[in-house]
């Protein structure tokens, strides 16, 4: 490592340092971000020519890796037609083409689609739809949501209000947000027999609050940014039954799990359920552009039509952006044309083998793997600067948070690359390397 701060290495990095906020950082950032000038396959290319294996898939979105010819071609073809037109009063084949593909792959029954511009917005739209649903049903007092501790649903207001109230920074706004109800995080690992008692706390809360509740929001099988925790599909199936018994809407946030990450196209499939409202994002465009979707059943969309507004009250400027829709369609086609199940299985096997040594370290609380997700949970918070130095020295890009060192890599990661990612994660966990 050179003594010179990395952010002064070039004029554009000086501009970044002085003027640009990065996610959840001070300005200027305490740790200089790495300069990336290109990305190809499963690697990021740094300004000095170094290549890092991307174990994060750009926050879980770049499932195919980077610079995919099929997605590049689709983007260029759409650019030549039009990059964007408003969706108010106008429509285009790009949106319809994406809708057609989503309808073929999402759980049966989700037929009404809102194309939003980011995951958090998709969650806002889902919650607005749930609120309008109960207004239209003549039960406007049903306006609270039941959410789960260790959940994460985004950074906008309603999304923050249903994310874990204690971890993360959302508690900064605690008394400004809508007050929701929280159930304990599911305690039922997917690889152990399911104990129905795991559902008791949430069942009791629903029983108690049913008259005030609009619905329940949950991340299916994987609680992502709120703790990288996995739970049994039977829990989700049980939650669906509880919602049905009390007439509550079930909102499933598959923004992190959608498009194959857990071994099925959507995590809901493993529980054999259809939610009333489904949120998609992140991998929807294969990591190329920001786009998200909120899907509802006909029962929900029809009820909204009959409400006071008679419409779903949301409409972002870049709704159904044609460029993003076209790339999303190409990404879905590319996913379905390839052997993604085998790739996810191969990653799961590789991660299990490669991370196993970490389980024996005294600094490690737990190692867990589910689909193409590998996690080392430490006893104590990870020193991010030190972890980044160890990982980059090993040629790997990792971004631990809290006590969690984890990977959600692109699906084409080779076994050799997977081993290198695991070695870097284990090196961080043991405090060696760098
Ligand atoms: C990332 C994420 C979001 C927020 O999506 P953004 O595109 O970052 O707004 C919401 N829910 C889940 C489960 C996520 O993983």
């Amino acid at each position: 490592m050179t003594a010179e701060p990395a952010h002064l290495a070039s004029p554009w990095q000086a501009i970044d340092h002085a003027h640009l906020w990065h996610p959840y950082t001070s300005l200027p950032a305490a740790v200089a971000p790495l300069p990336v000038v290109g990305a190809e396959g499963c690697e990021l290319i740094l300004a000095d020519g170094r290549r890092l294996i991307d174990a994060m898939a750009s926050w879980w979105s770049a499932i195919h890796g980077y610079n995919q010819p099929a997605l590049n071609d689709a983007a260029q073809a759409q650019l030549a037609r039009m990059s964007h037109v408003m969706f108010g009063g106008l429509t285009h084949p790009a949106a319809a083409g994406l809708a057609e593909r989503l309808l073929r792959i999402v759980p049966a029954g989700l037929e009404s689609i809102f194309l939003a511009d980011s995951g958090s917005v998709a969650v806002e739209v889902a919650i607005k739809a749930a609120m309008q649903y109960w207004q239209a049903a003549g039960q406007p007092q049903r306006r609270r949501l039941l959410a789960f501790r260790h959940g994460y649903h985004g950074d906008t207001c309603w999304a923050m209000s249903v994310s874990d109230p204690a971890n993360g920074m959302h508690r900064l706004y605690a008394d400004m947000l809508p007050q929701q109800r929280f159930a304990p995080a599911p305690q039922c690992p997917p690889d152990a027999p399911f104990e129905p008692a795991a559902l008791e706390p949430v069942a009791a809360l629903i029983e108690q609050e049913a008259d005030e509740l609009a619905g329940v929001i949950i991340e299916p099988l994987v609680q992502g940014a709120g703790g990288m925790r996995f739970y049994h599909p039977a829990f989700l199936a049980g939650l669906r039954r509880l919602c049905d018994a009390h007439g509550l809407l079930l909102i499933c946030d598959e923004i992190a799990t959608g498009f194959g990450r857990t071994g099925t196209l959507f995590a809901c499939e493993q529980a054999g359920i259809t939610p009333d409202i489904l949120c998609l994002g992140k991998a929807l465009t294969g990591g190329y552009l920001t786009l998200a979707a909120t899907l509802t059943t006909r029962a929900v969309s029809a009820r909204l039509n009959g409400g006071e507004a008679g419409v779903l009250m949301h409409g972002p400027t870049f709704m159904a952006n044609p460029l993003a829709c076209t790339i999303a369609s190409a990404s879905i086609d590319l996913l379905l044309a390839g052997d993604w199940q085998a790739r996810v299985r191969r990653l799961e096997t590789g991660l299990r083998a490669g991370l196993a040594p970490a389980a024996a370290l005294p600094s490690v609380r737990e190692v867990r793997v589910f689909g193409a997700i590998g996690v080392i949970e430490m006893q104590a918070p990870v020193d991010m600067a030190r972890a980044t130095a160890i990982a980059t020295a090993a040629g790997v890009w990792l971004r631990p948070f809290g006590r969690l060192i984890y990977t959600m890599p692109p699906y084409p990661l080779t076994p050799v690359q997977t081993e290198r990612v695991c070695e870097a994660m284990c090196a961080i966990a043991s405090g060696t390397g760098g």
Side-chain angles (χ1 to χ4, degrees):
M1 294 245 163
T2 59
E4 178 162 318
H7 58 268
L8 297 178
S10 66
W12 71 262
Q13 283 174 267
I15 294 170
D16 175 282
H17 180 74
H19 300 287
L20 291 177
W21 262 303
H22 285 257
Y24 316 111
T25 56
S26 57
L27 181 64
V31 180
L34 297 178
V36 179
V37 293
E40 204 175 275
C42 297
E43 291 181 332
L44 307 175
I45 304 164
L46 302 187
D48 63 6
R50 272 183 301 161
R51 285 170 176 260
L52 301 181
I53 300 168
D54 183 7
M56 308 310 295
S58 281
W59 268 339
W60 329 342
S61 64
I63 51 174
H64 311 292
Y66 300 94
N67 227 333
Q68 278 293 325
L71 301 196
N72 291 359
D73 290 349
Q76 259 144 17
Q78 182 58 43
L79 264 180
R81 292 187 289 268
M82 63 187 167
S83 175
H84 182 66
V85 292
M86 65 191 278
F87 209 51
L90 301 177
T91 191
H92 43 75
L98 175 56
E100 203 183 2
R101 285 170 175 83
L102 288 175
L103 292 171
R104 276 206 297 270
I105 60 174
V106 297
L110 295 162
E111 295 185 3
S112 305
I113 307 173
F114 189 100
L115 294 168
D117 34 15
S118 77
S120 301
V121 173
V123 169
E124 295 289 317
V125 170
I127 295 176
K128 277 186 167 180
M131 296 301 142
Q132 284 191 239
Y133 176 92
W134 287 113
Q135 285 171 357
Q139 296 189 57
Q141 79 285 358
R142 284 189 182 257
R143 45 153 83 182
R144 284 205 205 287
L145 291 157
L146 185 74
F148 289 83
R149 295 194 182 270
H150 286 288
Y152 176 79
H153 298 285
D155 287 353
T156 52
C157 277
W158 246 322
M160 281 199 290
S161 79
V162 288
S163 298
D164 187 288
N167 77 15
M169 56 220 76
H170 299 164
R171 83 187 113 84
L172 288 175
Y173 314 99
D175 58 1
M176 303 168 220
L177 296 174
Q179 296 300 301
Q180 314 293 12
R181 299 289 179 250
F182 286 90
Q187 303 283 349
C188 44
D191 45 10
F194 181 70
E195 300 288 345
L199 278 161
E200 278 166 17
V202 65
L205 266 167
I206 288 178
E207 197 75 47
Q208 217 176 297
E209 308 271 346
D211 298 344
E212 282 207 339
L213 287 176
V216 179
I217 183 165
I218 191 166
E219 296 156 275
L221 308 198
V222 178
Q223 292 188 296
M228 305 303 290
R229 301 160 59 97
F230 312 139
Y231 65 87
H232 201 286
F235 185 92
L236 188 58
L239 191 61
R240 174 74 272 184
R241 285 194 300 274
L242 284 167
C243 286
D244 287 341
H246 292 86
L248 302 182
L249 297 174
L250 178 61
I251 305 173
C252 282
D253 178 352
E254 291 236 20
I255 290 168
T257 48
F259 305 99
R261 182 60 64 181
T262 65
T264 47
L265 265 185
F266 300 98
C268 283
E269 291 170 33
Q270 295 181 43
I273 63 139
T274 296
D276 301 287
I277 304 178
L278 175 72
C279 298
L280 302 175
K282 288 203 162 89
L284 176 58
T285 63
Y288 266 55
L289 272 180
T290 178
L291 183 71
T294 307
L295 296 92
T296 79
T297 59
R298 284 276 181 228
V300 171
S301 60
R303 177 61 64 72
L304 297 192
N305 292 341
E308 182 195 331
V311 300
L312 175 51
M313 210 38 137
H314 206 87
T317 305
F318 288 98
M319 183 164 176
N321 172 256
L323 189 55
C325 287
T326 300
I327 295 171
S329 289
S331 174
I332 292 170
D333 292 347
L334 183 62
L335 186 67
L336 299 182
D339 200 354
W340 61 271
Q341 288 106 323
R343 284 178 166 176
V344 170
R345 268 199 306 276
R346 186 175 73 184
L347 279 171
E348 180 162 9
T349 308
L351 292 172
R352 275 191 202 288
L355 297 180
L361 298 170
S363 54
V364 170
R365 179 175 291 186
E366 188 181 53
V367 172
R368 44 187 189 263
V369 174
F370 187 51
I373 310 172
V375 182
I376 301 176
E377 181 170 343
M378 304 292 290
Q379 305 281 10
V382 178
D383 175 341
M384 181 103 98
R386 183 169 156 69
T388 303
I390 292 172
T392 52
V396 176
W397 172 239
L398 285 163
R399 184 93 176 146
F401 67 93
R403 290 186 283 104
L404 302 167
I405 308 162
Y406 77 97
T407 178
M408 282 176 79
Y411 301 160
L413 204 73
T414 66
V416 171
Q417 287 173 320
T418 307
E419 256 173 60
R420 285 185 57 196
V421 167
C422 291
E423 281 164 16
M425 291 172 68
C426 292
I428 295 170
S430 67
T432 59

